[in-house]
Amino acid sequence: MLSPMDRRSSADGQAVRTGAGGQTVIGRDEELRLLRGLLTNAATGNGSALLISGSAGVGKSALLRRLSADAAAQHFRVLRTSGVETEQWLPFAALQLLLQPASREIEKLPAPHRLALSGAFGATEAEPHIYRVGLAVLELLADAAERRPLLLLVDDLQWIDTSSRDVLRFVSRRTRDLAVLVVSAARTTSPDSYSTGAQPDLVLEPLGQEAAAELLDSGAPGLAAPVRALVLERAAGNPLALVELPKAVQGTSAHPEDLPLTQRLEAAFAARTDSASRECRTFLLALAAEPTAPLNRLFDVASGLAGAEVSVHALQEAVDAGLVVLVGRTPEFRHPLMRSAIYTRASVADRLSTHRALATALEDSPGRHLVHLAASTLGPDDELAARLESYADAAQARGQVAAAVPALRQAGELVHDVRRRTGILIRAAELASEVNDRIHTQMLLDRADLGELGPTERARLMLVSDKAAFEPDEPQRRIQDMVAAAVGAFDVGSVDVAENLLWRAAARCFFQDGDERVRARAATELDRWNPDPNAPHTLTVRAYTQPYRHGTELMARLEELEPDRRDGRILHYLGSGSMVIGDIGRATRYLSLAAAEWRSQGRLGLLARSLAGSWPRVYLGQLTRAREESAEGLTLAEETGEWIVWLGLKATCGLVAALRGESEDAARTIRELRAHSLFPEMSFVTVMAQQVDGLLALFDGRTAEAYETLARAFDPEDPHYHSVSRWLLTPDLADAAVAAGTVTQARELLAGLPELADRLPSEMMVVARTYSEAVLAPDDVAEERYLAALAELPETWTLSRARLHLHHGRWLRRQRRYVDARKPLRAARDEFDRVGARPWAEAAREQLRAAGEPDGRRRVNTGEQLSVQELQIAELASQGLSNREIGQRLFISHRTVGAHLYRIYPRLGISSRGKLAGALAALREEHPGSGGQSGSDAS
């Protein structure tokens, strides 16, 4: 009989004390305190997500079980799933297991969400997009959490299939306003690959010396001193080792041969099956090969293999031996190492025969059938490889890309011809990349034999590797290699592959500011193809590579185009091409339309790319919308791993913060940007970072530093230089030059601008030339230059126009024309107030006072207390959208929308939804820069 303080070990070796208050895991007090705090917060509607990472046997599963018990005691509903190696390639397998207890509640969801989950779980032909499934799961959980708080437990995340993992990451980032806690555990040395990003991850370290000794003595009291010392040394604080190694080293010498810890543990587990019956061992091997098969099928398979009936008695024997536990009616190994130990210790013949039997038993499940058929094959089997390829073709045709990947991977391992194998593996890598699975994409590429690549395969490989892991080093060489591969693909007839690769090479010419040689190489290759001059691909490549050579023609052709407003790909091509040459108005229109299309399809990675259109909005004075879109895009870029996009959006966030007068936020944002590993070689963003630093210095009165900082962006030898984007800094440089008394130096620096502006007459270049010519003009021609510049500046560039008014008024005041100065200074002040550019608004007020016109201090309004997302929600709600419609637009739960509105009303001084429109209109009238049309709504 157990005493109230009797000690025993949990399934993965972490000891627990059992007493009146429940079980306490030994040596994990701090970790449990953290987990229980998250549980308490979730119970009050403040959900979160946490990843526990650590080595095998370190106690991750024990913490999950302890947390599960605590949650049950607090009346949480607990849903759980775990990864299985054999299922990590089967789309949504882990998610289906997680939601199985909630299957009836799926039928109560609105039709779009219900259909998304039906498609994910195989009830429809086409596989839905991953984020449609994510939003459906989020809504399911949000509704369930209204009735009872939820705890989601995910063990062995490293083996969770990619589709399920992406959905779980999507949900984990959106639990803040829900009574939902998501806790995952992963056996990995690089937890960043699996992190939800919603909470700092918990890295579980080995036990300290005292806790390790306590755990060992609790499970194996009375060990001989030499054996006890040996176990403590070899276990090195690993809880599972402290439980299992005493059984393995009993009777050995004090110095057994040195084996890796996992191998020791697997050997210890496997040894525990030696005394089991043949029926039990056969059942355990079948379970190890197919852990999720129905129990009756496992019994049938094991019976056929054992030549005798295998029944529940074999299962009971495994349970009694401490190898298996029952969760409901499903048998599970007590620890993943138990499963791998049993599988690897079995003979090759037994493993092959088990997989053959499982393949026969699972013929009604084509994916699993082929998985086991492939696993039962030794050596090449071209016929089976062809079957796997056919299965992949059918899956891809149905839109089930994630299901096609494992079939191609296995097909590649079975084909005899090395070149064919490489082609299959590259195709699998392409599909893995398409579903944003960078880990498996790289793994597949590593298996390909690069010595067997033909021209098309080489180009496809460069496309996939470019998407899987952007290599920032040696940009000129990389661009050359990509162009060369595009040449090879085009010459053998793979035009689509060649065009795609050349476009990516051209994009690098912008992102990394390729030198004239590589730009000319890419442009020459495009010319060799004799392309349609109006094709979006042609226009974009030319914009990226040689904007000054093709500038006038590009502007004319872009003006004539009428693209399909529903083709997100073409719209994005044209928007990005327009953006890089400074055709700002066109860029924002096209990228806004593209964003609307990607939003409607739930394609968040592509949406993040199109939200990069928030950058040019800054120059149109749309600071509120740029703030909304860049913040949303930044979140989506982090979530989807679009790190180059993240760089641009992060820089935009910093620029908007600087212009709004939020100097601390701006400086912190740029520090974070500069700390990113990709930053140094990405010239398109280094120049933006330099712009923000220069503006912060200028606003702070450090005029000489501001000029020096901005001038560096015009030096071809400086890492902040960009051959095209530098012209967006021209107005800032001119402002700094006037303030610092370096007008002559600035004129010399901008000497080549007029000629280039003639060759590339985009809005960016027109503004740069006319603004600088006015602001840097000598006094004797300044008046006419200001008037000419204001006449020539695009009407939509309201921020630049206001800045010119400010300079004109300041110049007039210096000429002692105080009455004349007041009109342009008022225009500047009003426009700066409208767009929310506080530093310049205060400068205009100061100049007005100096010109003899008192001006009251700027009024602070409650609208500025709203976060970016709250402002989006308020705008959409004021337009009559329901909470569910807003949630679908912003990819958050309708419950989260409701929680935000509950906080928004008192901040706006209202009590109901019906008063939102009036409150927001009043805010815009009181201080127009504080509100505006939601970027989500407009797109």
Side-chain angles (χ1 to χ4, degrees), residues 598-921:
W598 301 140
R599 192 183 295 279
S600 69
Q601 296 179 25
R603 304 183 71 174
L604 301 195
L606 293 173
L607 175 58
R609 295 183 192 182
S610 291
L611 287 174
S614 58
W615 172 36
R617 290 191 188 283
V618 171
Y619 301 98
L620 302 181
Q622 300 173 6
L623 296 190
T624 298
R625 186 162 174 187
R627 176 172 170 251
E628 292 177 8
E629 291 186 354
S630 60
E632 181 185 12
L634 194 67
T635 298
L636 297 179
E638 289 176 352
E639 189 166 0
T640 57
E642 293 283 350
W643 293 113
I644 297 175
V645 175
W646 182 92
L647 292 172
L649 288 162
K650 190 76 168 176
T652 303
C653 288
L655 180 58
V656 171
L659 297 182
R660 285 168 52 88
E662 300 159 352
S663 56
E664 291 184 7
D665 287 347
R668 184 187 66 253
T669 299
I670 297 304
R671 284 196 303 271
E672 293 170 355
L673 174 66
R674 289 183 179 276
H676 196 282
S677 60
L678 289 176
F679 175 84
E681 298 294 338
M682 294 296 166
S683 302
F684 88 105
V685 77
T686 62
V687 68
M688 295 174 69
Q690 199 74 350
Q691 179 181 21
V692 176
D693 288 344
L695 285 170
L696 290 176
L698 184 61
F699 293 153
D700 195 39
R702 295 175 278 123
T703 57
E705 179 186 339
Y707 179 79
E708 182 181 350
T709 298
L710 292 164
R712 288 174 58 190
F714 291 79
D715 179 1
E717 301 302 317
D718 192 274
H720 300 91
Y721 173 85
H722 192 285
S723 60
V724 181
S725 294
R726 72 187 192 274
W727 301 119
L728 287 169
L729 280 62
T730 303
D732 309 323
L733 180 79
D735 287 3
V738 171
T742 55
V743 169
T744 301
Q745 294 93 312
R747 289 174 186 156
E748 293 174 357
L749 208 58
L750 302 176
L753 172 57
E755 179 193 351
L756 292 178
D758 288 339
R759 293 164 59 186
L760 176 61
S762 67
E763 293 174 354
M764 171 184 70
M765 301 300 286
V766 170
V767 170
R769 177 174 54 80
T770 55
Y771 188 99
S772 60
E773 285 177 348
V775 171
L776 300 178
D779 283 346
D780 60 340
V781 295
E783 182 82 54
E784 62 184 82
R785 293 281 178 86
Y786 278 117
L787 296 176
L790 287 167
E792 193 172 350
L793 276 184
E795 288 292 332
T796 53
W797 283 61
T798 56
L799 193 56
S800 295
R801 298 182 69 83
R803 292 171 67 178
L804 264 183
H805 281 306
L806 174 59
H807 271 290
H808 188 201
R810 184 185 282 127
W811 180 83
L812 289 168
R813 189 184 66 77
R814 287 201 307 269
Q815 306 303 311
R816 301 184 183 278
R817 295 166 57 183
Y818 299 116
V819 174
D820 292 339
R822 293 171 189 170
K823 181 178 180 180
L825 289 174
R826 287 190 211 108
R829 175 201 60 192
D830 293 345
E831 183 60 23
F832 291 140
D833 277 347
R834 190 189 72 79
V835 303
R838 298 181 202 171
W840 281 316
E842 290 304 317
R845 284 182 167 81
E846 182 181 339
Q847 290 294 318
L848 269 172
R849 287 192 291 270
E853 180 171 301
D855 189 88
R857 294 182 62 84
R858 174 183 169 275
R859 291 171 291 176
V860 177
N861 62 81
T862 54
E864 293 175 350
Q865 300 174 18
L866 301 184
S867 70
V868 171
Q869 190 172 77
E870 286 170 342
L871 186 57
Q872 286 179 303
I873 289 171
E875 289 283 354
L876 294 172
S878 72
Q879 295 163 19
L881 275 71
S882 69
N883 286 7
R884 283 198 187 273
E885 289 171 330
I886 296 171
Q888 290 173 5
R889 189 77 63 89
L890 300 180
F891 300 98
I892 56 178
S893 163
H894 71 285
R895 306 281 180 183
T896 296
V897 174
H900 276 304
L901 287 171
Y902 181 78
R903 292 191 290 265
I904 288 169
Y905 294 155
R907 293 182 189 176
L908 296 181
I910 60 176
S911 58
S912 68
R913 194 187 201 98
K915 298 179 180 179
L916 268 174
L920 292 173

Side-chain angles (χ1 to χ4, degrees), residues 23-41:
Q23 298 178 346
T24 301
V25 182
I26 291 177
R28 299 300 187 194
D29 293 346
E30 289 299 321
E31 291 85 352
L32 286 170
R33 189 175 296 112
L34 168 65
L35 290 168
R36 286 166 177 160
L38 296 177
L39 201 64
T40 299
N41 291 340

